[in-house]
Amino acid sequence: MKILVCISHVPDTTSKINFSENNTVFDKTGVQFVINPNDEFGLTRAIWFKEKNNAVVHVINVGLSDTESTLRKALAIGADKAIRINHNPKDGHSVAKYISNYISNNSYDLIIAGRESIDYNGGMVPGMISAFTDINFIDKCIDLNISGDSVEASREIEGGKENISTKLPLIIGGQKGLVEESDLRIPNMRGIMMARKKELEVVEVNKDYQSTNSKSFEKPLPKGEVTLISADEIDKLIDLLHNEAKAI
Amino acid sequence: MDILIFAETDDKGNFKKDAFEIASYAYQISSQTGGNVKAICFNSKIPEKLSDYGVKKIINSENDELKNFDAGIYSDCISDVFKSENCSMLVLSSSSNSKYIGGILSVKIDAGYVTNIISIPVKDNNLVVVRNTFTNKAFETVEITKSNSILAVSKNSFGLKENPTKTEISDFNFNISERRNKVSSIEKTSNKVTIADADIVVSGGRGLKGPENWYLIENLAEVLGAATACSKPVSDLGWRPHSEHVGQTGKPVSSNLYIAIGISGAIQHLAGVNSSKVKVVINTDPDAPFFKAADYGIVGDAFDVVPNLIDKLKEFKSVND
Ligand SMILES: Cc1cc2nc3c(=O)[nH]c(=O)nc-3n(C[C@H](O)[C@H](O)[C@H](O)COP(=O)(O)OP(=O)(O)OC[C@H]3O[C@@H](n4cnc5c(N)ncnc54)[C@H](O)[C@@H]3O)c2cc1C
Ligand SMILES: Nc1ncnc2c1ncn2[C@@H]1O[C@H](COP(=O)(O)O)[C@@H](O)[C@H]1O
């Protein structure tokens, strides 16, 4: 089984978000980048397939050379090969198109993307890839088991879960549940050494597929002071929630 | 320019509240740009309800094969209607099913697709919208460079606005393909309100000390008709199911009211709940960071404050409901 894991390179969750160049670009100064959390769950699930079912795991990112540290981390965790599409990702549509083109030239049985990236929050790339490549798609996937080309999976639905049977090839939008937090792996020294020797293919592209264009960013206004209510004036809280906030 | 909305129904064929919100949103656009709002829905029992929100034409397909959601089939049907009704904009909610089909549809109808939208689009050569990004830590202004567009509206960012109108209701003859994903079973965790649907969310953190104390959260949620949620460590510890974990790496919350009890307000937690309208914090520590992000706060012990709040709310409800 050949698996491709899509890796989005995102600011660490503790990062303060700032913008530069007249609020048109994300300011990377002092920001630590990590594997998008949803992708980390997917990558770990892929490594399990490698360990238990001899799967081959490739990771792919659309990004400039600064994302290679994140790809190397994925290699250190256990992926066999990394691919970087050398392009500054401007929207979900172009990212999905580049990855789909790569999939069309290099066939995969399973493609794992994240349900959503924590920077762009598009929630769109996996669905677009499924449509471009015409392969089966499960979004919000929280459990995935494969034998032969048969897939038994679950997806989170509002208020529960849905169990699904389908066939490979398949793409999922993954999230926690594929594996748990405690299953995530920190690269060890040996993994880091081995990662240096693994292949990192850089693919050049010249066509642009953008369908949206980011114009500017803005930060939310600082919040006004909190209204503190004493613990023995609960009636006042209820009154404020009812009459002032109109929330109950 | 005609606008199509996908109006979602629940298991019983009733529209979800989101359906009325996106209808209101689409109507506002059409009143500025001209053209009509049309809706597609599957197995709606009372499709004419959409006419209260300005929808001129409703395509309601009553078909058992469309009863259960299927991303492939639903997106085929929606794209067929979009094309045959000569629409150039599709408006979606941000429910998980709508998000599931949004990306697929954007390829099928060759549209520029933007999610988490919080503003009415402005036409400036191209369509320009504002969206939430960086998990609610920032807003982004985005331009759509294709002639077709799909706008997924962030929940509760627009609200409901009634615009009663005369409506035509019709059916559509879909060519329904075979399901590629077969649903073998559905497991509902409970019949309670889900975080995604809830107007009010009551959330508990590690300050509640243990799962045996969750009756406080549940009882408060029950009085308010609210959904229950929790911080990440609470679900990691197994005190509550993972489906309740909210925050940057969990579920986003954009309810009208968010009540946080015994939650410190770490940046990853706040990122996921920032877009809730009104936030109430109950915490023993006056320096808990959550107070800086809250609208109303009580410095106090949850084990004293919450039972008291439940009693007072019951009194309030008996007078006001
Ligand atoms: C990569 C990453 C991603 C993360 N993603 C998320 C996420 O999505 N969501 C999330 O929630 N967290 C997330 N976290 C964890 C986050 O950093 C915090 O650790 C977490 O939110 C703290 O949970 P808490 O507030 O329940 O617990 P604590 O920080 O332990 O806070 C407990 C609070 O309860 C108060 N308290 C104690 N006793 C009482 C009482 N009797 N009555 C009232 N109050 C009381 C205390 O004063 C304290 O403020 C993430 C962390 C990382 C590293
Ligand atoms: N630049 C990128 N390179 C590789 N994969 C990406 C990239 N951007 C997004 N993805 C994948 O698509 C998922 C959803 O991203 P998004 O649609 O931006 O929310 C992510 O979790 C990744 O798996």
Side-chain angles (χ1 to χ4, degrees):
Chain A
M1 181 163 59
K2 250 179 98 183
I3 306 176
L4 183 68
V5 185
C6 303
I7 302 279
S8 183
H9 160 91
V10 300
D12 175 85
T13 56
T14 53
S15 306
K16 294 262 184 304
I17 303 297
N18 290 304
F19 303 97
S20 60
E21 294 175 41
N22 227 343
N23 283 329
T24 56
V25 289
F26 174 63
D27 184 357
K28 296 181 183 170
T29 321
V31 172
Q32 179 88 23
F33 280 85
V34 296
I35 299 176
N36 183 46
N38 287 322
D39 303 344
E40 208 179 346
F41 293 113
L43 175 63
T44 308
R45 186 71 190 91
I47 301 299
W48 287 8
F49 281 123
K50 174 179 159 159
E51 290 168 351
K52 292 185 194 129
N53 313 72
N54 284 319
V56 171
V57 179
H58 293 179
V59 290
I60 191 167
N61 170 263
V62 178
L64 300 179
S65 56
D66 60 324
T67 71
E68 288 192 1
S69 55
T70 298
L71 285 174
R72 288 276 174 216
K73 184 176 170 199
L75 291 172
I77 289 173
D80 299 293
K81 173 188 165 177
I83 301 111
R84 180 171 67 83
I85 312 273
N86 189 21
H87 183 83
N88 189 7
K90 292 280 180 52
D91 76 341
H93 185 262
S94 55
V95 168
K97 187 71 187 164
Y98 291 128
I99 295 176
S100 301
N101 290 348
Y102 190 84
I103 293 168
S104 307
N105 297 326
N106 303 270
S107 70
Y108 289 95
D109 304 295
L110 173 65
I111 295 134
I112 298 179
R115 182 226 341 154
E116 186 175 293
S117 58
I118 63 164
D119 55 351
Y120 184 69
N121 301 124
M124 56 178 65
V125 168
M128 287 172 168
I129 296 176
S130 81
F132 283 130
T133 56
D134 193 33
I135 59 179
N136 297 341
F137 172 41
I138 298 173
D139 199 19
K140 288 197 148 190
C141 187
I142 50 172
D143 192 20
L144 179 64
N145 295 292
I146 297 174
S147 88
D149 71 344
S150 299
V151 178
E152 296 295 328
S154 306
R155 86 168 167 110
E156 183 177 359
I157 55 173
E158 275 149 33
K161 70 174 183 176
E162 189 176 81
N163 301 319
I164 296 167
S165 312
T166 190
K167 294 264 178 239
L168 296 181
L170 170 75
I171 176 164
I172 64 161
Q175 60 183 52
K176 183 157 101 175
L178 281 175
V179 303
E180 294 308 327
E181 203 88 25
S182 48
D183 301 320
L184 296 178
R185 297 186 183 184
I186 298 157
N188 57 24
M189 211 50 207
R190 185 160 166 272
I192 294 168
M193 297 302 284
M194 280 178 43
R196 291 198 189 138
K197 298 197 197 97
K198 289 179 181 169
E199 183 184 356
L200 197 160
E201 179 189 354
V202 178
V203 179
E204 298 298 336
V205 289
N206 40 37
K207 240 184 124 192
D208 203 350
Y209 300 105
Q210 247 177 283
S211 65
T212 60
N213 193 14
S214 176
K215 298 186 61 109
S216 64
F217 295 93
E218 205 183 320
K219 293 212 285 180
L221 292 173
K223 190 135 188 83
E225 278 284 296
V226 56
T227 305
L228 284 181
I229 296 135
S230 148
D232 42 47
E233 287 182 298
I234 300 286
D235 284 326
K236 194 170 152 203
L237 175 67
I238 293 174
D239 179 59
L240 286 168
L241 287 178
H242 183 59
N243 292 314
E244 186 179 83
K246 310 226 178 300
I248 57 172
Chain B
M1 180 196 76
D2 285 351
I3 306 172
L4 184 68
I5 66 166
F6 168 43
E8 282 182 79
T9 43
D10 62 18
D11 311 343
K12 298 184 192 77
N14 295 317
F15 285 116
K16 295 192 178 171
K17 183 183 151 202
D18 292 1
F20 303 130
E21 184 169 27
I22 61 171
S24 311
Y25 178 87
Y27 180 81
Q28 169 103 26
I29 300 172
S30 75
S31 66
Q32 287 164 9
T33 59
N36 290 323
V37 179
K38 299 170 176 176
I40 173 168
C41 46
F42 302 121
N43 296 306
S44 163
K45 262 194 340 219
I46 329 169
E48 60 275 17
K49 275 214 148 176
L50 287 172
S51 68
D52 292 347
Y53 298 91
V55 178
K56 279 271 192 236
K57 181 171 181 183
I58 299 163
I59 293 137
N60 181 36
S61 185
E62 289 186 60
N63 185 331
D64 276 350
E65 286 181 79
L66 292 168
K67 228 175 193 144
N68 292 317
F69 175 83
D70 179 274
I73 292 172
Y74 273 37
S75 53
D76 279 344
C77 294
I78 296 169
S79 94
D80 283 354
V81 169
F82 185 87
K83 288 172 188 160
S84 72
E85 292 290 329
N86 288 313
C87 296
S88 57
M89 180 188 285
L90 172 66
V91 178
L92 297 176
S93 80
S94 41
S95 74
S96 51
N97 285 351
S98 283
K99 280 199 162 165
Y100 194 165
I101 58 178
I104 304 173
L105 275 163
S106 71
V107 174
K108 285 192 172 151
I109 64 177
D110 191 25
Y113 175 36
V114 181
T115 54
N116 305 337
I117 295 177
I118 54 166
S119 76
I120 292 287
V122 179
K123 184 107 182 136
D124 165 24
N125 229 343
N126 288 317
L127 221 51
V128 176
V129 289
V130 180
R131 64 187 294 271
N132 272 321
T133 190
F134 289 99
T135 323
N136 299 319
K137 290 178 188 168
F139 306 118
E140 181 185 25
T141 302
V142 184
E143 150 188 67
I144 296 174
T145 52
K146 292 221 168 187
S147 53
N148 284 340
S149 57
I150 302 181
L151 310 187
V153 184
S154 182
K155 196 180 157 59
N156 280 330
S157 65
F158 191 74
L160 305 188
K161 297 202 172 64
E162 293 204 16
N163 295 287
T165 185
K166 260 221 168 91
T167 300
E168 168 197 347
I169 298 180
S170 67
D171 201 346
F172 198 93
N173 206 353
F174 291 112
N175 212 337
I176 298 174
S177 55
E178 208 197 318
R179 283 178 186 245
R180 300 214 226 165
N181 294 344
K182 310 243 170 0
V183 174
S184 44
S185 59
I186 291 179
E187 298 169 35
K188 289 268 177 187
T189 40
S190 62
N191 294 320
K192 287 187 311 181
V193 203
T194 63
I195 294 171
D197 286 333
D199 278 331
I200 305 180
V201 174
V202 179
S203 189
R206 207 148 48 180
L208 282 156
K209 313 281 193 274
E212 68 280 7
N213 297 323
W214 238 262
Y215 69 95
L216 288 171
I217 302 290
E218 284 177 340
N219 291 352
L220 178 56
E222 197 185 314
V223 190
L224 290 166
T228 53
C230 67
S231 68
K232 179 166 170 290
V234 165
S235 72
D236 288 346
L237 288 162
W239 296 359
R240 299 297 291 177
H242 284 312
S243 54
E244 286 198 359
H245 154 206
V246 299
Q248 187 167 9
T249 56
K251 279 206 175 60
V253 178
S254 53
S255 55
N256 265 321
L257 175 60
Y258 184 75
I259 305 182
I261 302 168
I263 302 178
S264 56
I267 186 165
Q268 296 99 344
H269 187 86
L270 295 180
V273 304
N274 259 342
S275 67
S276 279
K277 291 244 161 62
V278 180
K279 290 183 274 296
V280 176
V281 170
I282 300 169
N283 196 307
T284 40
D285 175 8
D287 294 325
F290 216 141
F291 283 113
K292 290 208 175 63
D295 300 279
Y296 303 101
I298 294 185
V299 178
D301 189 328
F303 295 93
D304 302 331
V305 175
V306 177
N308 201 353
L309 179 59
I310 293 170
D311 288 345
K312 296 269 158 94
L313 275 169
K314 279 188 184 151
E315 270 171 43
F316 167 82
K317 289 276 171 186
S318 66
V319 179
N320 284 273
D321 275 358

